[in-house]
Amino acid sequence: MAAPPGAGGRPPLEIRGLVKEYVPGTPVLRGIDLEIGAEGITAVIGPSGTGKSTLLRCINRLVEPTRGEIRLRGEELTRLSGKALRLARRRIGMVFQEYNLVERLSVMENLLCGRLGYVPLWRAWLRRYPAEDIARAFALLDAVGLPDYATRRADALSGGQRQRVGIARALMQRPELLLADEPTSSLDPKTAVEVLELLARLTGEAGVPVVLNIHNVELARRFARRIVGMSQGAIVFDGPPEALETAHLRAIYGGEDWL
């Protein structure tokens, strides 16, 4: 499935020949070719251990690719280091499975962590963020349904509330791309739907494309514009949700009896 181009005529994210080997000669990712368009959610599905999380973490260089190319709006990310890599990372928001909040800090302080790549270190150390950033943080708290939680410590929140803060923190970066790594796996079914509805709405309003790793196929069908199915480190399906059939699921997950 071809990804729709961005404003410059090319997809915002282009991946070519991506390989990752944690052990030499044993690839976790086997030559991934993928383009992510300028809007909507692309859901990546597949069994545990097939490389879904590794794929996301290679994109923002939390994991170093073994070889291949990853281009964000034409900039080759795999060649960057030092300051250039830090500047590129702030363009990519990340929502984590286990929230990745600073538990002892307040909700507001966690949101403002999304601006760490944009303010001088002394300002962050003294918590002297620009008024514009503080106003945006309050606006995002309202948008995620937590307007009265600014001073609440992160460790006092429920799982669903923590993930809402995680989404707001990622959007504080004003990212060009958002990665979401199993953001609902620790949540009950009702809260999972609410969190994905929120993610879809806010990123849609902001015009930020999302790459979402998710185990729940039905939620992928419900919220994604496009589904990428992976098996044994390779892409075996790429298309719209309505094209995903039983035969594809068998190719992705293997076996017959679980369907």
Side-chain angles (χ1 to χ4, degrees):
M1 177 181 177
R10 62 192 304 174
L13 180 68
E14 301 169 276
I15 299 172
R16 297 283 182 266
L18 181 63
V19 173
K20 175 58 185 177
E21 299 175 346
Y22 292 104
V23 177
T26 307
V28 175
L29 298 177
R30 302 171 181 268
I32 298 293
D33 292 321
L34 189 63
E35 294 180 353
I36 301 299
E39 57 185 14
I41 293 177
T42 298
V44 183
I45 64 172
S48 297
T50 200
K52 303 188 304 298
S53 291
T54 296
L55 172 61
L56 261 65
R57 290 168 182 268
C58 281
I59 292 171
N60 62 8
R61 296 279 303 281
L62 291 177
V63 167
E64 288 297 321
T66 301
R67 56 183 177 273
E69 295 183 352
I70 303 170
R71 296 184 180 274
L72 180 64
R73 301 194 181 278
E75 184 175 27
E76 172 55 87
L77 301 183
T78 60
R79 298 176 184 173
L80 302 180
S81 61
K83 181 179 180 181
L85 178 58
R86 292 193 298 273
L87 291 176
R89 276 182 173 150
R90 73 184 189 180
R91 299 160 59 197
I92 304 174
M94 184 89 176
V95 178
F96 295 86
Q97 176 179 349
E98 296 299 335
Y99 321 123
N100 205 38
L101 303 181
V102 182
E103 299 289 323
R104 62 182 177 82
L105 294 184
S106 70
V107 167
M108 175 59 70
E109 288 170 320
N110 270 280
L111 258 65
L112 290 170
C113 286
R115 301 302 295 169
L116 289 178
Y118 294 86
V119 300
L121 184 60
W122 69 267
R123 273 189 172 271
W125 181 257
L126 296 175
R127 296 180 172 85
R128 292 178 60 182
Y129 288 89
E132 178 185 354
D133 289 346
I134 295 172
R136 176 167 171 76
F138 275 113
L140 281 169
L141 275 183
D142 188 55
V144 299
L146 299 173
D148 300 322
Y149 284 71
T151 59
R152 192 83 60 92
R153 276 177 53 131
D155 57 10
L157 304 181
S158 69
Q161 290 167 341
R162 291 184 188 196
Q163 200 56 288
R164 288 169 181 263
V165 174
I167 292 170
R169 180 187 57 191
L171 290 173
M172 277 293 296
Q173 295 177 225
R174 299 187 183 274
E176 299 171 26
L177 173 72
L178 193 144
L179 309 175
D181 190 12
E182 298 287 357
T184 61
S185 63
S186 299
L187 306 177
D188 64 77
K190 178 177 180 293
T191 304
V193 169
E194 292 172 349
V195 164
L196 288 179
E197 286 176 340
L198 183 69
L199 180 68
R201 177 172 60 83
L202 293 182
T203 57
E205 291 171 354
V208 178
V210 179
V211 184
L212 165 70
N213 281 353
I214 190 167
H215 278 299
N216 190 308
V217 175
E218 292 311 309
L219 288 180
R221 281 183 163 130
R222 178 172 174 179
F223 289 100
R225 173 174 298 192
R226 173 186 178 195
I227 293 178
V228 173
M230 292 183 62
S231 179
Q232 299 181 8
I235 294 174
V236 298
F237 174 84
D238 186 353
E242 59 270 20
L244 183 67
E245 299 178 350
T246 298
H248 299 124
L249 292 173
R250 286 178 177 146
I252 294 167
Y253 292 100
E256 302 270 343
D257 296 339
W258 64 276
L259 288 168

